[in-house]
Amino acid sequence: MQAVQTPKGRLRTLAFPRLAMLSSERWLIGTHMISALFALAFGILMGPFQTFRRAPAFVEAFPDWQIPVFSYYYQALTMHGVMNALFFTTFFIVGFSYFVTQRSLQREVNQPAAWTAFALMLVGLLLLLYAIGSNQANVLYTFYPPMIAHPTFYLGLVLLVVGTWIASVLVFLAYRDWRREHPGEQVPLAVFAVTVNFIMWNIATIAVAAEILFMLLPASLGLIYITDPQFARVLFWFFGHPLVYFWLIPTYISWYTMLPKQAGGRLFSDALGRVAFILLLLFSIPVGAHHLFSDPGVSNVSKGIQTILTLVVAVPSFMTAFNIGAALEYAARKRGARGPLGWLLNQKWGDPVVAAQISGMILFIMGGFSGLINASWVLNIAVHNTSWVPGHFHMTLGGAVTLTYIGVIYWILPMMRGRKLWSRGVALAQVYTWLIGMLIFGHAMGTAGLSGAPRRSDLGSVAYLSDVASFWLNSAAIGGVVLLVSSILLYVNIIGTLAFSSKPNDEEPPIQTRGDPRSPLFLERWGLWIGITLFLLFIAWAPVFLETLNFVDGFNSPLYDPARPAPITPGQ
């Protein structure tokens, strides 16, 4: 390692090794990645168990099973959602963002502050594990009232969010110092996207922080006895849909800035990628009310506005499909692919890093089109509270996002360890079993929803399911079995790489340290984009908030326990 002297008050610049990590880098990135995998271990195993619990054939075959993950459906469902969707993703995103920022800008983020942020997030994780594991927080990962969890559940969420705020400031400071030293240069695309992601995240989390601090946590502590479930839902979904893009943008970072090199080609257009990320910033937050289409407290006008905006947010995804598709075709043509579709077959399907990301794209295409159906006000009413929604959700988060994160882990873990991946064959088997299992599960859940199966329901032994819905829920359990096998293969390879791998790592990280000079600099006018974002937020959300607030009885108008004005027992 070689440190370069920098002006007082600025972050020091570093010369990073080509095939390994600095000691400080290894500890910082490594602890975030291991913590992400630790959280995932709890959440990922709950998924297959829930498919078994919802499958009538499985419940009939094993009626006396009393293992908690089978018996306490909503505890398992909460564990699955919170650990996978909130903690696995957040630890991974923060660690990945640090790695990308430090390597791309060739400078170190503030280490004491980064470790402070990590400590807050880790304590938050442990508090959540206690609340859910002790059966005192069966409120699902959406966690809005009238269900109230143990106070440690909400304290854990607060610490998680505060940790990410600190991490975002560290990234912004590194970008600021780089910008001062490189006037007139384009920042590397990966750091541009990380900046977009944290700007969006910081705006979106203001609402959920208000919901937790002023509504849920006081109710859990017994400080207030009434709260407003409808207003809490609005606050949550102001945050809830941008959360999806908080997961997705790191996936796009890998697809845009790493996959083209890993696939043997180059990105078609850096500028088009920057425009796509800006559009995600502008339109990711003012669309959350499409989760409220079935709620009576939101007017038809507001629902109509957010229908249009939700359809617009699909545009950057189509731009990404074109840009990345062109990059992959270019790489395949270089290797000799012929014919109009020959490039699809001539990819590096034997490389688990590439295969994981392309497999994620396959799932994302299907999840994306089902998302357009959710965006339609009319169609959403038909599918909203059915298992169609988790089918769509798992194609995107469980498909594109998780598989791409796994692809990143397959090259960043060997770099952190200094040794090659333990088994390339096991990694490929894991990727393809995940792809197959998620295709079966997603299709089965979606079709079961169209056949009347509700979501968030313990369905295995109910009497009202149709034979068609029962068939597809049984099929989803088959997908769960395949995904369980894939999950085991993942952790076998992770443990093998950390403990038993002996061959030295010989793959460089796919990091760019310079931006494309052809991309226009005005795309980095962050004040402009933040201003437009706030303007769109006002148009989309001001009517929703005004319609929801009760100006007669006050903020805490409807009782969440109308029978008696007394604290609800946590976990009740």
PDB file of all heavy atoms in Angstrom, residues 124-154:
ATOM      1  N   GLY A 124     -28.504  -2.948  15.395  1.00  0.00           N
ATOM      2  CA  GLY A 124     -29.870  -2.999  14.875  1.00  0.00           C
ATOM      3  C   GLY A 124     -30.257  -4.399  14.433  1.00  0.00           C
ATOM      4  O   GLY A 124     -31.373  -4.867  14.705  1.00  0.00           O
ATOM      5  N   LEU A 125     -29.341  -5.090  13.761  1.00  0.00           N
ATOM      6  CA  LEU A 125     -29.595  -6.460  13.334  1.00  0.00           C
ATOM      7  C   LEU A 125     -29.858  -7.370  14.533  1.00  0.00           C
ATOM      8  O   LEU A 125     -30.816  -8.156  14.540  1.00  0.00           O
ATOM      9  CB  LEU A 125     -28.396  -6.973  12.537  1.00  0.00           C
ATOM     10  CG  LEU A 125     -28.370  -8.477  12.212  1.00  0.00           C
ATOM     11  CD1 LEU A 125     -29.555  -8.858  11.337  1.00  0.00           C
ATOM     12  CD2 LEU A 125     -27.054  -8.855  11.535  1.00  0.00           C
ATOM     13  N   LEU A 126     -29.037  -7.261  15.558  1.00  0.00           N
ATOM     14  CA  LEU A 126     -29.198  -8.119  16.735  1.00  0.00           C
ATOM     15  C   LEU A 126     -30.517  -7.834  17.463  1.00  0.00           C
ATOM     16  O   LEU A 126     -31.183  -8.754  17.948  1.00  0.00           O
ATOM     17  CB  LEU A 126     -28.008  -7.941  17.679  1.00  0.00           C
ATOM     18  CG  LEU A 126     -26.641  -8.343  17.091  1.00  0.00           C
ATOM     19  CD1 LEU A 126     -25.529  -8.045  18.077  1.00  0.00           C
ATOM     20  CD2 LEU A 126     -26.628  -9.811  16.686  1.00  0.00           C
ATOM     21  N   LEU A 127     -30.898  -6.549  17.530  1.00  0.00           N
ATOM     22  CA  LEU A 127     -32.177  -6.209  18.159  1.00  0.00           C
ATOM     23  C   LEU A 127     -33.350  -6.798  17.381  1.00  0.00           C
ATOM     24  O   LEU A 127     -34.316  -7.302  17.980  1.00  0.00           O
ATOM     25  CB  LEU A 127     -32.310  -4.689  18.260  1.00  0.00           C
ATOM     26  CG  LEU A 127     -31.401  -3.983  19.266  1.00  0.00           C
ATOM     27  CD1 LEU A 127     -31.550  -2.468  19.151  1.00  0.00           C
ATOM     28  CD2 LEU A 127     -31.713  -4.430  20.697  1.00  0.00           C
ATOM     29  N   LEU A 128     -33.268  -6.728  16.069  1.00  0.00           N
ATOM     30  CA  LEU A 128     -34.344  -7.302  15.255  1.00  0.00           C
ATOM     31  C   LEU A 128     -34.412  -8.812  15.412  1.00  0.00           C
ATOM     32  O   LEU A 128     -35.501  -9.394  15.502  1.00  0.00           O
ATOM     33  CB  LEU A 128     -34.129  -6.939  13.784  1.00  0.00           C
ATOM     34  CG  LEU A 128     -34.878  -5.730  13.218  1.00  0.00           C
ATOM     35  CD1 LEU A 128     -36.369  -5.996  13.139  1.00  0.00           C
ATOM     36  CD2 LEU A 128     -34.589  -4.480  13.989  1.00  0.00           C
ATOM     37  N   LEU A 129     -33.248  -9.459  15.447  1.00  0.00           N
ATOM     38  CA  LEU A 129     -33.239 -10.904  15.630  1.00  0.00           C
ATOM     39  C   LEU A 129     -33.871 -11.286  16.965  1.00  0.00           C
ATOM     40  O   LEU A 129     -34.612 -12.281  17.056  1.00  0.00           O
ATOM     41  CB  LEU A 129     -31.805 -11.438  15.549  1.00  0.00           C
ATOM     42  CG  LEU A 129     -31.204 -11.562  14.145  1.00  0.00           C
ATOM     43  CD1 LEU A 129     -29.735 -11.952  14.224  1.00  0.00           C
ATOM     44  CD2 LEU A 129     -31.982 -12.576  13.308  1.00  0.00           C
ATOM     45  N   TYR A 130     -33.589 -10.494  18.007  1.00  0.00           N
ATOM     46  CA  TYR A 130     -34.198 -10.771  19.308  1.00  0.00           C
ATOM     47  C   TYR A 130     -35.719 -10.607  19.240  1.00  0.00           C
ATOM     48  O   TYR A 130     -36.482 -11.471  19.701  1.00  0.00           O
ATOM     49  CB  TYR A 130     -33.632  -9.847  20.382  1.00  0.00           C
ATOM     50  CG  TYR A 130     -34.464  -9.853  21.651  1.00  0.00           C
ATOM     51  CD1 TYR A 130     -34.407 -10.929  22.530  1.00  0.00           C
ATOM     52  CD2 TYR A 130     -35.348  -8.801  21.931  1.00  0.00           C
ATOM     53  CE1 TYR A 130     -35.208 -10.966  23.667  1.00  0.00           C
ATOM     54  CE2 TYR A 130     -36.140  -8.825  23.064  1.00  0.00           C
ATOM     55  CZ  TYR A 130     -36.067  -9.905  23.931  1.00  0.00           C
ATOM     56  OH  TYR A 130     -36.854  -9.949  25.043  1.00  0.00           O
ATOM     57  N   ALA A 131     -36.173  -9.494  18.669  1.00  0.00           N
ATOM     58  CA  ALA A 131     -37.615  -9.215  18.645  1.00  0.00           C
ATOM     59  C   ALA A 131     -38.378 -10.278  17.864  1.00  0.00           C
ATOM     60  O   ALA A 131     -39.420 -10.770  18.298  1.00  0.00           O
ATOM     61  CB  ALA A 131     -37.857  -7.829  18.061  1.00  0.00           C
ATOM     62  N   ILE A 132     -37.844 -10.653  16.705  1.00  0.00           N
ATOM     63  CA  ILE A 132     -38.548 -11.631  15.873  1.00  0.00           C
ATOM     64  C   ILE A 132     -38.371 -13.040  16.438  1.00  0.00           C
ATOM     65  O   ILE A 132     -39.314 -13.828  16.521  1.00  0.00           O
ATOM     66  CB  ILE A 132     -38.040 -11.557  14.416  1.00  0.00           C
ATOM     67  CG1 ILE A 132     -38.272 -10.155  13.843  1.00  0.00           C
ATOM     68  CG2 ILE A 132     -38.751 -12.596  13.555  1.00  0.00           C
ATOM     69  CD1 ILE A 132     -37.609  -9.926  12.497  1.00  0.00           C
ATOM     70  N   GLY A 133     -37.139 -13.363  16.840  1.00  0.00           N
ATOM     71  CA  GLY A 133     -36.867 -14.702  17.350  1.00  0.00           C
ATOM     72  C   GLY A 133     -37.623 -15.024  18.622  1.00  0.00           C
ATOM     73  O   GLY A 133     -37.981 -16.188  18.867  1.00  0.00           O
ATOM     74  N   SER A 134     -37.909 -14.010  19.442  1.00  0.00           N
ATOM     75  CA  SER A 134     -38.663 -14.229  20.681  1.00  0.00           C
ATOM     76  C   SER A 134     -40.171 -14.154  20.458  1.00  0.00           C
ATOM     77  O   SER A 134     -40.940 -14.131  21.415  1.00  0.00           O
ATOM     78  CB  SER A 134     -38.246 -13.201  21.740  1.00  0.00           C
ATOM     79  OG  SER A 134     -38.507 -11.873  21.292  1.00  0.00           O
ATOM     80  N   ASN A 135     -40.571 -14.090  19.189  1.00  0.00           N
ATOM     81  CA  ASN A 135     -41.995 -14.116  18.825  1.00  0.00           C
ATOM     82  C   ASN A 135     -42.742 -12.879  19.322  1.00  0.00           C
ATOM     83  O   ASN A 135     -43.920 -12.952  19.662  1.00  0.00           O
ATOM     84  CB  ASN A 135     -42.666 -15.387  19.357  1.00  0.00           C
ATOM     85  CG  ASN A 135     -43.848 -15.816  18.501  1.00  0.00           C
ATOM     86  OD1 ASN A 135     -43.905 -15.538  17.311  1.00  0.00           O
ATOM     87  ND2 ASN A 135     -44.809 -16.494  19.116  1.00  0.00           N
ATOM     88  N   GLN A 136     -42.061 -11.722  19.320  1.00  0.00           N
ATOM     89  CA  GLN A 136     -42.679 -10.482  19.776  1.00  0.00           C
ATOM     90  C   GLN A 136     -42.768  -9.435  18.659  1.00  0.00           C
ATOM     91  O   GLN A 136     -42.962  -8.251  18.942  1.00  0.00           O
ATOM     92  CB  GLN A 136     -41.870  -9.890  20.935  1.00  0.00           C
ATOM     93  CG  GLN A 136     -41.772 -10.797  22.150  1.00  0.00           C
ATOM     94  CD  GLN A 136     -41.003 -10.140  23.274  1.00  0.00           C
ATOM     95  OE1 GLN A 136     -41.537  -9.336  24.041  1.00  0.00           O
ATOM     96  NE2 GLN A 136     -39.735 -10.478  23.372  1.00  0.00           N
ATOM     97  N   ALA A 137     -42.606  -9.867  17.410  1.00  0.00           N
ATOM     98  CA  ALA A 137     -42.631  -8.894  16.318  1.00  0.00           C
ATOM     99  C   ALA A 137     -43.153  -9.531  15.034  1.00  0.00           C
ATOM    100  O   ALA A 137     -42.516  -9.460  13.983  1.00  0.00           O
ATOM    101  CB  ALA A 137     -41.227  -8.322  16.090  1.00  0.00           C
ATOM    102  N   ASN A 138     -44.324 -10.138  15.098  1.00  0.00           N
ATOM    103  CA  ASN A 138     -44.893 -10.795  13.924  1.00  0.00           C
ATOM    104  C   ASN A 138     -45.675  -9.786  13.081  1.00  0.00           C
ATOM    105  O   ASN A 138     -46.875  -9.932  12.833  1.00  0.00           O
ATOM    106  CB  ASN A 138     -45.793 -11.954  14.360  1.00  0.00           C
ATOM    107  CG  ASN A 138     -45.036 -12.980  15.171  1.00  0.00           C
ATOM    108  OD1 ASN A 138     -43.831 -13.142  14.994  1.00  0.00           O
ATOM    109  ND2 ASN A 138     -45.729 -13.663  16.065  1.00  0.00           N
ATOM    110  N   VAL A 139     -44.982  -8.732  12.641  1.00  0.00           N
ATOM    111  CA  VAL A 139     -45.637  -7.608  11.967  1.00  0.00           C
ATOM    112  C   VAL A 139     -45.264  -7.515  10.487  1.00  0.00           C
ATOM    113  O   VAL A 139     -45.634  -6.557   9.825  1.00  0.00           O
ATOM    114  CB  VAL A 139     -45.292  -6.280  12.680  1.00  0.00           C
ATOM    115  CG1 VAL A 139     -45.866  -6.258  14.086  1.00  0.00           C
ATOM    116  CG2 VAL A 139     -43.776  -6.055  12.720  1.00  0.00           C
ATOM    117  N   LEU A 140     -44.514  -8.486   9.980  1.00  0.00           N
ATOM    118  CA  LEU A 140     -44.056  -8.518   8.594  1.00  0.00           C
ATOM    119  C   LEU A 140     -43.046  -7.394   8.326  1.00  0.00           C
ATOM    120  O   LEU A 140     -42.843  -6.515   9.164  1.00  0.00           O
ATOM    121  CB  LEU A 140     -45.220  -8.451   7.620  1.00  0.00           C
ATOM    122  CG  LEU A 140     -46.387  -9.410   7.903  1.00  0.00           C
ATOM    123  CD1 LEU A 140     -47.399  -9.360   6.775  1.00  0.00           C
ATOM    124  CD2 LEU A 140     -45.915 -10.824   8.146  1.00  0.00           C
ATOM    125  N   TYR A 141     -42.434  -7.420   7.160  1.00  0.00           N
ATOM    126  CA  TYR A 141     -41.401  -6.410   6.911  1.00  0.00           C
ATOM    127  C   TYR A 141     -42.013  -5.055   6.561  1.00  0.00           C
ATOM    128  O   TYR A 141     -41.319  -4.034   6.576  1.00  0.00           O
ATOM    129  CB  TYR A 141     -40.428  -6.907   5.834  1.00  0.00           C
ATOM    130  CG  TYR A 141     -40.639  -6.356   4.455  1.00  0.00           C
ATOM    131  CD1 TYR A 141     -39.911  -5.257   3.992  1.00  0.00           C
ATOM    132  CD2 TYR A 141     -41.564  -6.945   3.581  1.00  0.00           C
ATOM    133  CE1 TYR A 141     -40.109  -4.770   2.710  1.00  0.00           C
ATOM    134  CE2 TYR A 141     -41.747  -6.451   2.304  1.00  0.00           C
ATOM    135  CZ  TYR A 141     -41.017  -5.364   1.873  1.00  0.00           C
ATOM    136  OH  TYR A 141     -41.215  -4.873   0.617  1.00  0.00           O
ATOM    137  N   THR A 142     -43.300  -5.013   6.300  1.00  0.00           N
ATOM    138  CA  THR A 142     -43.960  -3.728   6.069  1.00  0.00           C
ATOM    139  C   THR A 142     -44.300  -3.013   7.370  1.00  0.00           C
ATOM    140  O   THR A 142     -44.501  -1.804   7.370  1.00  0.00           O
ATOM    141  CB  THR A 142     -45.231  -3.936   5.237  1.00  0.00           C
ATOM    142  OG1 THR A 142     -45.970  -5.037   5.755  1.00  0.00           O
ATOM    143  CG2 THR A 142     -44.882  -4.220   3.789  1.00  0.00           C
ATOM    144  N   PHE A 143     -44.445  -3.697   8.456  1.00  0.00           N
ATOM    145  CA  PHE A 143     -44.511  -3.217   9.851  1.00  0.00           C
ATOM    146  C   PHE A 143     -45.353  -1.968  10.122  1.00  0.00           C
ATOM    147  O   PHE A 143     -45.053  -1.197  11.036  1.00  0.00           O
ATOM    148  CB  PHE A 143     -43.098  -3.015  10.425  1.00  0.00           C
ATOM    149  CG  PHE A 143     -42.205  -1.996   9.768  1.00  0.00           C
ATOM    150  CD1 PHE A 143     -42.332  -0.631  10.023  1.00  0.00           C
ATOM    151  CD2 PHE A 143     -41.185  -2.407   8.929  1.00  0.00           C
ATOM    152  CE1 PHE A 143     -41.487   0.297   9.454  1.00  0.00           C
ATOM    153  CE2 PHE A 143     -40.323  -1.482   8.356  1.00  0.00           C
ATOM    154  CZ  PHE A 143     -40.474  -0.127   8.617  1.00  0.00           C
ATOM    155  N   TYR A 144     -46.423  -1.701   9.377  1.00  0.00           N
ATOM    156  CA  TYR A 144     -47.246  -0.553   9.750  1.00  0.00           C
ATOM    157  C   TYR A 144     -48.367  -0.983  10.692  1.00  0.00           C
ATOM    158  O   TYR A 144     -48.722  -2.150  10.765  1.00  0.00           O
ATOM    159  CB  TYR A 144     -47.817   0.195   8.538  1.00  0.00           C
ATOM    160  CG  TYR A 144     -48.102  -0.612   7.304  1.00  0.00           C
ATOM    161  CD1 TYR A 144     -49.089  -1.586   7.274  1.00  0.00           C
ATOM    162  CD2 TYR A 144     -47.387  -0.390   6.134  1.00  0.00           C
ATOM    163  CE1 TYR A 144     -49.357  -2.308   6.131  1.00  0.00           C
ATOM    164  CE2 TYR A 144     -47.641  -1.110   4.975  1.00  0.00           C
ATOM    165  CZ  TYR A 144     -48.626  -2.067   4.983  1.00  0.00           C
ATOM    166  OH  TYR A 144     -48.883  -2.786   3.845  1.00  0.00           O
ATOM    167  N   PRO A 145     -48.946  -0.027  11.458  1.00  0.00           N
ATOM    168  CA  PRO A 145     -50.013  -0.365  12.394  1.00  0.00           C
ATOM    169  C   PRO A 145     -51.266  -0.781  11.614  1.00  0.00           C
ATOM    170  O   PRO A 145     -51.367  -0.510  10.423  1.00  0.00           O
ATOM    171  CB  PRO A 145     -50.232   0.944  13.167  1.00  0.00           C
ATOM    172  CG  PRO A 145     -49.778   2.008  12.237  1.00  0.00           C
ATOM    173  CD  PRO A 145     -48.655   1.405  11.437  1.00  0.00           C
ATOM    174  N   PRO A 146     -52.217  -1.440  12.292  1.00  0.00           N
ATOM    175  CA  PRO A 146     -52.386  -1.503  13.747  1.00  0.00           C
ATOM    176  C   PRO A 146     -51.554  -2.558  14.474  1.00  0.00           C
ATOM    177  O   PRO A 146     -51.585  -2.612  15.691  1.00  0.00           O
ATOM    178  CB  PRO A 146     -53.876  -1.830  13.896  1.00  0.00           C
ATOM    179  CG  PRO A 146     -54.208  -2.601  12.663  1.00  0.00           C
ATOM    180  CD  PRO A 146     -53.390  -1.991  11.566  1.00  0.00           C
ATOM    181  N   MET A 147     -50.829  -3.421  13.754  1.00  0.00           N
ATOM    182  CA  MET A 147     -49.977  -4.381  14.444  1.00  0.00           C
ATOM    183  C   MET A 147     -48.792  -3.656  15.068  1.00  0.00           C
ATOM    184  O   MET A 147     -48.159  -2.810  14.420  1.00  0.00           O
ATOM    185  CB  MET A 147     -49.491  -5.450  13.469  1.00  0.00           C
ATOM    186  CG  MET A 147     -50.609  -6.304  12.888  1.00  0.00           C
ATOM    187  SD  MET A 147     -50.010  -7.638  11.830  1.00  0.00           S
ATOM    188  CE  MET A 147     -49.339  -6.703  10.453  1.00  0.00           C
ATOM    189  N   ILE A 148     -48.489  -3.972  16.317  1.00  0.00           N
ATOM    190  CA  ILE A 148     -47.408  -3.309  17.038  1.00  0.00           C
ATOM    191  C   ILE A 148     -46.417  -4.361  17.532  1.00  0.00           C
ATOM    192  O   ILE A 148     -46.820  -5.382  18.104  1.00  0.00           O
ATOM    193  CB  ILE A 148     -47.952  -2.497  18.233  1.00  0.00           C
ATOM    194  CG1 ILE A 148     -48.931  -1.435  17.735  1.00  0.00           C
ATOM    195  CG2 ILE A 148     -46.809  -1.856  19.016  1.00  0.00           C
ATOM    196  CD1 ILE A 148     -48.322  -0.364  16.854  1.00  0.00           C
ATOM    197  N   ALA A 149     -45.128  -4.099  17.320  1.00  0.00           N
ATOM    198  CA  ALA A 149     -44.077  -5.036  17.715  1.00  0.00           C
ATOM    199  C   ALA A 149     -43.422  -4.586  19.012  1.00  0.00           C
ATOM    200  O   ALA A 149     -43.701  -3.510  19.549  1.00  0.00           O
ATOM    201  CB  ALA A 149     -43.038  -5.144  16.600  1.00  0.00           C
ATOM    202  N   HIS A 150     -42.505  -5.413  19.499  1.00  0.00           N
ATOM    203  CA  HIS A 150     -41.695  -5.073  20.668  1.00  0.00           C
ATOM    204  C   HIS A 150     -40.824  -3.860  20.348  1.00  0.00           C
ATOM    205  O   HIS A 150     -40.398  -3.668  19.209  1.00  0.00           O
ATOM    206  CB  HIS A 150     -40.822  -6.273  21.042  1.00  0.00           C
ATOM    207  CG  HIS A 150     -40.156  -6.142  22.371  1.00  0.00           C
ATOM    208  ND1 HIS A 150     -38.922  -5.530  22.520  1.00  0.00           N
ATOM    209  CD2 HIS A 150     -40.523  -6.544  23.608  1.00  0.00           C
ATOM    210  CE1 HIS A 150     -38.573  -5.564  23.795  1.00  0.00           C
ATOM    211  NE2 HIS A 150     -39.527  -6.171  24.482  1.00  0.00           N
ATOM    212  N   PRO A 151     -40.543  -2.985  21.331  1.00  0.00           N
ATOM    213  CA  PRO A 151     -39.751  -1.778  21.053  1.00  0.00           C
ATOM    214  C   PRO A 151     -38.402  -2.058  20.401  1.00  0.00           C
ATOM    215  O   PRO A 151     -37.911  -1.240  19.605  1.00  0.00           O
ATOM    216  CB  PRO A 151     -39.572  -1.139  22.436  1.00  0.00           C
ATOM    217  CG  PRO A 151     -40.736  -1.622  23.234  1.00  0.00           C
ATOM    218  CD  PRO A 151     -41.041  -2.995  22.731  1.00  0.00           C
ATOM    219  N   THR A 152     -37.785  -3.198  20.725  1.00  0.00           N
ATOM    220  CA  THR A 152     -36.474  -3.481  20.127  1.00  0.00           C
ATOM    221  C   THR A 152     -36.557  -3.625  18.609  1.00  0.00           C
ATOM    222  O   THR A 152     -35.571  -3.376  17.903  1.00  0.00           O
ATOM    223  CB  THR A 152     -35.872  -4.761  20.730  1.00  0.00           C
ATOM    224  OG1 THR A 152     -36.828  -5.832  20.620  1.00  0.00           O
ATOM    225  CG2 THR A 152     -35.510  -4.562  22.192  1.00  0.00           C
ATOM    226  N   PHE A 153     -37.708  -4.018  18.099  1.00  0.00           N
ATOM    227  CA  PHE A 153     -37.889  -4.110  16.650  1.00  0.00           C
ATOM    228  C   PHE A 153     -37.713  -2.733  16.009  1.00  0.00           C
ATOM    229  O   PHE A 153     -36.964  -2.569  15.036  1.00  0.00           O
ATOM    230  CB  PHE A 153     -39.279  -4.674  16.352  1.00  0.00           C
ATOM    231  CG  PHE A 153     -39.573  -4.859  14.888  1.00  0.00           C
ATOM    232  CD1 PHE A 153     -39.231  -6.038  14.243  1.00  0.00           C
ATOM    233  CD2 PHE A 153     -40.209  -3.865  14.163  1.00  0.00           C
ATOM    234  CE1 PHE A 153     -39.518  -6.213  12.897  1.00  0.00           C
ATOM    235  CE2 PHE A 153     -40.498  -4.026  12.821  1.00  0.00           C
ATOM    236  CZ  PHE A 153     -40.150  -5.206  12.179  1.00  0.00           C
ATOM    237  N   TYR A 154     -38.362  -1.739  16.568  1.00  0.00           N
ATOM    238  CA  TYR A 154     -38.293  -0.392  15.997  1.00  0.00           C
ATOM    239  C   TYR A 154     -36.941   0.273  16.267  1.00  0.00           C
ATOM    240  O   TYR A 154     -36.422   1.007  15.422  1.00  0.00           O
ATOM    241  CB  TYR A 154     -39.439   0.451  16.550  1.00  0.00           C
ATOM    242  CG  TYR A 154     -40.786  -0.160  16.262  1.00  0.00           C
ATOM    243  CD1 TYR A 154     -41.621  -0.577  17.298  1.00  0.00           C
ATOM    244  CD2 TYR A 154     -41.225  -0.363  14.955  1.00  0.00           C
ATOM    245  CE1 TYR A 154     -42.850  -1.163  17.043  1.00  0.00           C
ATOM    246  CE2 TYR A 154     -42.447  -0.949  14.691  1.00  0.00           C
ATOM    247  CZ  TYR A 154     -43.252  -1.348  15.734  1.00  0.00           C
ATOM    248  OH  TYR A 154     -44.459  -1.936  15.466  1.00  0.00           O
TER     249      TYR A 154
END
